Amino acid sequence: MVQKSPEFSRRHRTQACAIRMSSAQNAALFLSAVLAVFISLVDAVPAYSGLTELSETSGDEVQDVEGKSPLSERQKWYLMARDLHRDVKTLRDQQFERDFRETVNMTAYEGAKIKTPLLRPSDGCVSRNFSAERCLSRIYSVLTWYRENWSFIEKENLTSSLVKDIKHASKRLLEALNSQLQIADGQQDQISSAPLSVRSAWTRKITTHSILFNFSSVMIDSCRALHYISKRKAAHRAKDTKRPADRSSGKN
């Protein structure tokens, strides 16, 4: 039987250890590259909200918009939409606490809510089919529906100042969006929906909850889309301002 020298054994162990370390490093580099590509794809387009709240538009993103002066029109749209969402969400929570005090989770009434307009994935506001013009037009039409049916909420005994603020903020945002869209009164896309009827106290409560819950969801998706539009426009403007400098530097 051939005896292996201690020196041979040490070299063998060293080589095996080096191979394992190299494999681990390569795997780590590969995972880092995949993660970087994934993050860039996720950041490229706004996400569809579903039932999530507007946590993604707080913090650095808000500072990024508010820290620039003067604000562009699109940045103003986003800030108006963000404030409108905040008020609608507050009113939604107040009404739910008052009328459904015994229930902890709003999803308990998911099957009972009536249908009101929402932003759909096909509206051009999300994912790879993003279209600023189509998205803005849909936001305008949906927001118009909620403002036109806001009288249903005004009849509820909710915080009057908040109800008035939401009505006024909706009007301001619609006017701001229409400054670009130039849609005449009554010319926006017509949205069909079931009539808002009150057959009982329960129907009134669930209808009010449906309007406020869905309005809040609409504003989540609107905020994300408007924030994306404002960032994309700012990026194009930054490129345009750099081009003259790039041309002049090439001459020197």
Side-chain angles (χ1 to χ4, degrees):
M1 183 176 179
V2 179
Q3 293 287 337
K4 295 180 181 179
S5 67
E7 182 63 28
F8 176 83
S9 298
R10 283 195 297 271
R11 286 201 303 269
H12 180 74
R13 287 195 297 270
T14 302
Q15 289 173 352
C17 182
I19 291 172
R20 286 195 297 269
M21 290 178 63
S22 178
S23 299
Q25 289 173 346
N26 289 337
L29 289 173
F30 175 76
L31 290 175
S32 298
V34 171
L35 181 61
V37 171
F38 176 76
I39 291 174
S40 65
L41 289 174
V42 170
D43 187 57
V45 292
Y48 188 59
S49 73
L51 298 178
T52 59
E53 294 299 345
L54 195 55
S55 58
E56 289 82 350
T57 56
S58 60
D60 294 339
E61 288 189 356
V62 174
Q63 294 173 4
D64 198 34
V65 171
E66 292 179 330
K68 298 176 181 179
S69 181
L71 294 173
S72 70
E73 286 303 312
R74 287 167 176 78
Q75 288 169 336
K76 292 177 182 177
W77 297 347
Y78 163 69
L79 293 176
M80 284 190 284
R82 186 199 62 181
D83 292 344
L84 179 56
H85 167 261
R86 179 198 61 213
D87 290 345
V88 173
K89 179 179 179 294
T90 300
L91 196 64
R92 179 202 70 184
D93 294 346
Q94 287 182 1
Q95 187 264 342
F96 188 81
E97 171 65 21
R98 184 195 69 178
D99 292 343
F100 305 98
R101 189 181 300 273
E102 71 285 357
T103 308
V104 177
N105 198 324
M106 292 185 184
T107 58
Y109 296 103
E110 188 64 29
K113 292 203 305 283
I114 67 168
K115 292 183 178 180
T116 63
L118 296 168
L119 293 184
R120 306 159 302 193
S122 59
D123 289 328
C125 294
V126 296
S127 194
R128 296 181 182 180
N129 69 341
F130 190 87
S131 167
E133 184 176 355
R134 194 162 79 248
C135 178
L136 289 175
S137 179
R138 176 65 179 178
I139 291 174
Y140 184 87
S141 298
V142 171
L143 188 56
T144 297
W145 185 94
Y146 283 96
R147 188 171 188 281
E148 289 178 347
N149 290 276
W150 196 242
S151 58
F152 190 96
I153 304 298
E154 289 178 311
K155 296 174 183 177
E156 293 296 303
N157 188 25
L158 296 168
T159 306
S160 59
S161 59
L162 203 53
V163 172
K164 291 178 181 177
D165 288 345
I166 292 171
K167 183 177 182 179
H168 177 65
S170 300
K171 181 175 182 290
R172 286 182 59 235
L173 182 55
L174 282 169
E175 290 173 347
L177 294 177
N178 201 31
S179 65
Q180 172 168 320
L181 296 173
Q182 298 297 312
I183 298 176
D185 290 341
Q187 296 302 310
Q188 72 273 6
D189 295 337
Q190 297 300 312
I191 297 177
S192 59
S193 62
L196 302 177
S197 61
V198 180
R199 296 186 298 271
S200 65
W202 164 255
T203 304
R204 177 181 56 76
K205 291 178 181 180
I206 201 65
T207 299
T208 302
H209 171 64
S210 300
I211 293 172
L212 294 175
F213 186 93
N214 291 342
F215 194 1
S216 179
S217 296
V218 166
M219 293 316 303
I220 291 173
D221 291 326
S222 297
C223 283
R224 288 176 178 156
L226 293 174
H227 186 253
Y228 178 67
I229 291 172
S230 70
K231 287 200 303 181
R232 190 171 64 171
K233 187 67 175 179
H236 288 322
R237 189 165 57 247
K239 288 181 181 179
D240 292 339
T241 57
K242 288 180 180 178
R243 284 171 186 164
D246 293 340
R247 287 196 295 268
S248 60
S249 60
K251 295 179 181 179
N252 293 334

